[in-house]
Amino acid sequence: MKTIYLLISLLFCSVTSLATSAKERQSTFVKLDDGIERYIEYVEPQKGKPWIVFTNGLVYEIERWGDLDKKLIAQGYGIFHYYFRGQDLTLAREVEHSSQPPAFFKTGLGRNDFAEELHRLLGKMGINDKVIVVGLSYGAHIAATFAEQYPASVEEVVFMAPLVVPLEKYQPQGQWLDWNLMWVKMMWGPYFYEYAYRQIYGTYLRDRVTEDRVPEHLAAIPDTYRESLYFLVRAVRDFDLKAYKFSKLAPNSVHYFVAKEDDKRVFADQIAAFDGTDSRSRGSLIWLPDSAHAIPDSAPSEAASYLRFLIERDPRLEQGKKYKNTSGGLKAW
């Protein structure tokens, strides 16, 4: 296989940095039609530059994107972060403004709810141009569903160490539980299936999410936080990124960043999801072998640089090809 070296610069132009210094990071709450406020942070783009919209990891705090954000902002890109329904400051705000438990504790949450939420947030903020959507880990299901439902709003979609299927499916105990739950559903119907699912996963989260794992913003409502996590996990129980083809998106517009994974099956599924993307819309896959799952924490410079390559359609990246990061840049993999 032909080796291609892409020499990257990790130090961005100081002139550009000075030009963007006036662009300050804004934070606010935005109320949607359901009456619930979502927390957002953003920096507006320079003229001619696109918005990059980030869909977050399940328990990932926005400030952890900081190093990657700085490098993208220095290049003039707009940055848009938010906490989705049930997450962190959005959850805290919902609880603060109501004497009742969050309504989704009764109604549940589905993947379409998250895509619709993002669509409405962008509309409220007056972001009408096509955006670059970057989905990290759990956020892959939001990015994928948004791209499928609102292809006219998406310039490109980038998956970072994406969730492909629920992680318990890689564990023998999880597979056994999944099989038994399907048996309950087949033999006894959806009511008993939901009851069994609730008992198993509700108990698991109550035991696993100890006080030290509750975010500071939610320390006063740990049980509400655990309950919210249950519904967020439940929302992706049937998710499979390999089923998404993205055939309605533009050519060369679906990209993947993959990191070093502890479980080889997770890594293999991420590669399979990329390979299964419609050949027309499939873009590039970049493997960061020295990065941990939380790519913005462990490889912010490389991620920012390669995001710029993708957004600007650097001709050295060939459509449909895979690349590996090395000390000399990228090479075909």
Side-chain angles (χ1 to χ4, degrees), residues 197-216:
Y197 185 93
R198 170 71 177 185
Q199 294 303 310
I200 292 168
Y201 287 97
T203 300
Y204 172 79
L205 287 170
R206 282 195 300 272
D207 293 341
R208 182 176 176 82
V209 183
T210 52
E211 296 293 327
D212 59 308
R213 293 188 173 185
V214 178
E216 181 181 352

Side-chain angles (χ1 to χ4, degrees), residues 3-297:
T3 300
I4 303 173
Y5 288 96
L6 304 177
L7 300 179
I8 66 172
S9 172
L10 301 182
L11 296 176
F12 295 124
C13 178
S14 60
V15 175
T16 303
S17 298
L18 289 172
T20 59
S21 61
K23 297 284 188 180
E24 296 183 359
R25 194 179 191 97
Q26 306 290 323
S27 63
T28 187
F29 285 91
V30 176
K31 182 181 288 188
L32 299 184
D33 294 342
D34 58 10
I36 307 302
E37 294 179 293
R38 274 71 167 184
Y39 178 82
I40 68 169
E41 292 186 13
Y42 65 96
V43 177
E44 293 185 1
Q46 287 186 14
K47 186 177 181 180
K49 291 286 189 175
W51 283 96
I52 304 177
V53 176
F54 298 90
T55 59
N56 216 4
L58 180 62
V59 293
Y60 205 75
E61 295 182 344
I62 289 175
E63 50 263 36
R64 293 175 66 180
W65 292 90
D67 289 340
L68 186 149
D69 283 351
K70 290 175 184 176
K71 298 179 185 303
L72 296 173
I73 293 168
Q75 291 295 304
Y77 296 114
I79 301 298
F80 186 94
H81 291 281
Y82 71 106
Y83 285 129
F84 45 75
R85 185 83 182 272
Q87 189 183 42
D88 209 280
L89 288 173
T90 293
L91 176 63
R93 187 78 158 195
E94 183 170 357
V95 172
E96 177 187 351
H97 284 195
S98 176
S99 59
Q100 302 295 323
F104 68 85
F105 284 9
K106 290 185 178 180
T107 61
L109 290 169
R111 296 197 303 276
N112 292 342
D113 295 326
F114 294 99
E116 177 70 12
E117 173 185 63
L118 178 54
H119 174 68
R120 292 186 180 277
L121 276 174
L122 295 177
K124 282 280 189 178
M125 293 298 295
I127 301 175
N128 300 312
D129 294 332
K130 288 187 174 183
V131 299
I132 314 296
V133 184
V134 177
L136 172 67
S137 190
Y138 179 90
H141 89 86
I142 303 174
T145 308
F146 179 79
E148 285 279 79
Q149 292 191 359
Y150 301 100
S153 298
V154 177
E155 185 70 34
E156 298 182 62
V157 58
V158 181
F159 296 108
M160 281 191 175
L163 173 77
V164 179
V165 297
L167 295 180
E168 67 268 16
K169 295 185 182 296
Y170 298 107
Q171 304 299 324
Q173 184 181 21
Q175 294 174 348
W176 181 84
L177 287 172
D178 193 44
W179 184 88
N180 279 276
L181 285 168
M182 290 301 102
W183 183 85
V184 168
K185 188 174 185 179
M186 180 179 65
M187 296 298 296
W188 300 98
Y191 175 83
F192 287 99
Y193 164 78
E194 292 292 349
Y195 177 81
Y197 185 93
R198 170 71 177 185
Q199 294 303 310
I200 292 168
Y201 287 97
T203 300
Y204 172 79
L205 287 170
R206 282 195 300 272
D207 293 341
R208 182 176 176 82
V209 183
T210 52
E211 296 293 327
D212 59 308
R213 293 188 173 185
V214 178
E216 181 181 352
H217 308 121
L218 303 168
I221 50 170
D223 291 337
T224 301
Y225 173 65
R226 295 184 188 97
E227 184 77 349
S228 182
L229 278 181
Y230 166 76
F231 282 101
L232 293 175
V233 170
R234 181 176 179 268
V236 296
R237 61 184 175 183
D238 298 323
F239 177 65
D240 189 343
L241 185 56
K242 298 189 298 297
Y244 288 74
K245 304 305 177 185
F246 305 108
S247 57
K248 296 179 182 179
L249 296 184
N252 191 22
S253 61
V254 181
H255 312 287
Y256 278 63
F257 285 149
V258 294
K260 178 182 178 180
E261 293 286 358
D262 293 331
D263 193 315
K264 293 182 179 179
R265 294 167 298 175
V266 174
F267 186 83
D269 268 355
Q270 291 169 343
I271 304 301
F274 173 77
D275 288 338
T277 301
D278 183 272
S279 59
R280 176 177 169 273
S281 56
R282 188 189 309 139
S284 302
L285 180 143
I286 297 174
W287 178 26
L288 304 173
D290 296 325
S291 172
H293 180 79
I295 290 174
D297 286 332

